[in-house]
């Protein structure tokens, strides 16, 4: 951007927004949730935070930076506003297909014999991933699904953003959003409500949606049989990715599966504990 264009852009803005304001917000977001917001993201930061500046009755970003430094609740709202939540139903469907074909049958057999199964959607956003996962697992057989859900099967779905978790818990989506759900599954697992579709309560009640910062404390004590943590690490730097992968590896059972995004890879010491058995699908082979 030329100096003249930058000046015109600044005059068009409702609030004063300096480079130092952007860097202060970027540093806070990095420290809290590990997301990188380089200088090239300044306009994105302005666009997403300006409504919060307005809501707080402030006149500049400098005032807002000072405000979130002492107000933890508003700081959370700022981070929520800056969290990117791009997702869709059956996104990267090869992961669901792989799970259903290879991983789910022995887990279902374990449940039938009285065992336990634990699944974790580690960045569930507005719920499309965990709902897709359950639909893929259960297929068209609603009665069989209800029987399985009476066993020791638990699915945890977490995200750092409270607003998207509210959407996930409601399970209410536009018909356009649901277009990527196969018609046979859509007819079994959703009901119409005007121009929206609502996920069946059988699925909604099967998922524990919880707030969780992947870089913070994890209250879960046990290990998981499969973890989906997809398209999250693309926002992190290499040291943050390495730390997160190590923690995810620790929370998987030996033999458990880790699915990550199509542009993500395992890095660091955790690589020695996994083998790649599909497209960004990794099985834990060592404790």
């Amino acid at each position: 951007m030329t100096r003249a264009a930058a000046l015109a852009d600044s005059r068009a803005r409702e609030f004063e927004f300096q480079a130092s304001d952007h860097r202060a917000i970027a540093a806070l977001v990095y420290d809290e949730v590990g997301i990188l917001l380089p200088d090239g993201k300044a306009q994105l930061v302005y666009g997403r935070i300006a409504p919060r500046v307005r809501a707080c009755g402030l006149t500049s970003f400098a005032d807002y930076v000072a405000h979130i430094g002492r107000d933890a609740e508003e700081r959370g709202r700022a981070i929520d506003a800056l969290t990117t939540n791009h997702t869709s139903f059956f996104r990267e469907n090869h992961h669901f297909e792989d799970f259903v074909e290879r991983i789910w049958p022995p887990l279902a057999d374990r449940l039938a014999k009285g065992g336990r199964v634990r699944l974790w959607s580690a960045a569930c956003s507005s719920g499309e991933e965990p709902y897709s996962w359950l639909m893929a697992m259960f297929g068209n057989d609603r009665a069989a699904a209800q029987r399985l859900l009476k066993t020791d099967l638990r699915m945890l779905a977490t995200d750092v953003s409270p607003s998207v978790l509210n959407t996930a818990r409601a399970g209410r989506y536009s018909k356009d959003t649901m277009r990527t759900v196969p018609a046979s599954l859509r007819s079994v697992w959703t009901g119409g409500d005007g121009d929206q579709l609502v996920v069946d309560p059988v699925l909604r009640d099967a998922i524990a949606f919880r707030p969780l910062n992947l870089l913070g404390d994890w209250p879960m004590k046990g290990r998981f049989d499969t973890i989906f943590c997809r398209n999250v690490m693309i926002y992190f730097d290499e040291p943050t990715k390495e730390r997160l992968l190590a923690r995810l590896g620790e929370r998987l059972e030996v033999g458990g599966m880790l699915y990550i995004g199509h542009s993500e890879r395992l890095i660091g010491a955790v690589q020695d504990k996994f083998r790649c058995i599909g497209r960004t699908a990794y099985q834990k082979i060592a404790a």
Side-chain angles (χ1 to χ4, degrees), residues 83-210:
T83 302
T84 298
N85 292 290
H86 174 69
T87 188
S88 61
F89 281 95
F90 289 88
R91 184 182 186 186
E92 297 181 49
N93 189 44
H94 56 90
H95 287 154
F96 301 113
E97 292 175 344
D98 180 73
F99 179 84
V100 170
E101 291 171 9
R102 293 191 311 102
I103 310 304
W104 177 232
L107 294 181
D109 185 58
R110 185 197 300 172
L111 290 169
K113 295 176 180 177
R116 68 190 287 279
V117 170
R118 296 294 184 266
L119 311 173
W120 180 18
S121 171
C124 71
S125 187
S126 43
E128 287 89 336
E129 178 177 274
Y131 287 134
S132 298
W133 195 353
L134 286 185
M135 288 183 203
M137 286 165 53
F138 297 147
N140 302 330
D141 194 338
R142 196 170 184 277
Q146 289 177 304
R147 288 195 297 273
L148 281 165
L149 290 171
K150 292 178 182 177
T151 65
D152 197 4
L153 168 66
R154 302 290 184 271
M155 178 178 284
L156 173 67
T158 64
D159 201 276
V160 72
S161 168
S163 61
V164 297
L165 284 173
N166 288 337
T167 299
R169 291 188 187 100
R172 182 181 294 270
Y173 304 93
S174 70
K175 291 180 178 178
D176 184 60
T177 299
M178 281 266 186
R179 73 187 186 284
T180 52
V181 178
S184 60
L185 296 178
R186 200 163 57 237
S187 66
V188 172
W189 294 113
T190 69
D193 185 7
D195 61 351
Q196 293 186 315
L197 293 174
V198 182
V199 176
D200 192 295
V202 169
L203 295 190
R204 296 206 310 271
D205 294 344
I207 304 170
F209 290 105
R210 299 288 185 269

Side-chain angles (χ1 to χ4, degrees), residues 207-219:
I207 304 170
F209 290 105
R210 299 288 185 269
L212 184 75
N213 180 352
L214 288 175
L215 302 190
D217 294 331
W218 295 359

